[in-house]
Amino acid sequence: MTPPAANDRPISVMIVDDHEVVRRGIAEVVERAEGMTVIAEAGSVADGVRRAGLVRPQILLVDLQLPDGTGIDLMTQVRATQPDVKAIVLTSFDDDDALAAALEAGASAYLLKSVRGAEITEVIKAVASGRTLLDERTVTRRRAGHEDPTENLTPSELKVLDLIGEGMSNREIAERLGVAEKTVKNHITSLLAKMGLQRRTQVAAWVAARKHSGWRAETGH
């Protein structure tokens, strides 16, 4: 019996996500699609690297947050021994730094978990056929539309910003930095203007939101 031609074989997909329910849901979507199959699943970087070495998938579908590292770590390690593997990031983090890191690690696409199942399979097919849906222009264009409100802050203002985020009073910040309390107030007035904010409480809220939205922040949860 003649073996099937390479292009007749289903696209082999490996899913790496530490949430079993999410993993199973993605696997069902992939298995239902014509022309692709899930050949392995993993819930950590270490397990993912080990299993990828055994099954040698065409496509790695990787979450960013894993208990022992990140999806970036996984892609880097797998691609070091399997340079032909295609990687797709599937995450809940709409984060420009993560997008850039995924590009640097060789990812071919970056998807949010809010996408429809059909979109996931369409992207898998596109990437398997050699297309890259993530490039430097995408990252640059996104970053141009998501300017960092702290980019014009001085080093001293950035320190004050962080300490406000830690819940310190102006007096405590002054003591920590070894400056006069009036100097701290001047820094706050300046950073509020530069960030387009009006109150100190808004600064604290911004820092808190930033800390909890970073794709690396909760790694190991």
Side-chain angles (χ1 to χ4, degrees), residues 61-125:
L61 203 55
V62 185
D63 189 13
L64 281 179
Q65 286 190 343
L66 298 169
D68 55 346
T70 69
I72 304 299
D73 300 328
L74 175 69
M75 286 187 287
T76 301
Q77 291 180 51
V78 173
R79 285 174 58 82
T81 56
Q82 300 180 54
D84 292 335
V85 72
K86 309 290 187 185
I88 298 170
V89 171
L90 181 61
T91 182
S92 56
F93 285 92
D94 188 7
D95 185 297
D96 293 341
D97 289 337
L99 190 70
L103 172 64
E104 191 175 334
S108 296
Y110 190 100
L111 292 173
L112 295 179
K113 287 182 177 177
S114 56
V115 299
R116 293 179 298 109
E119 291 179 67
I120 295 175
T121 55
E122 285 167 10
V123 169
I124 289 173
K125 287 177 183 175

Side-chain angles (χ1 to χ4, degrees), residues 25-36 117 121:
I26 297 168
E28 285 178 18
V29 168
V30 174
E31 288 286 0
R32 281 202 304 266
E34 188 177 348
M36 60 186 71
T121 55

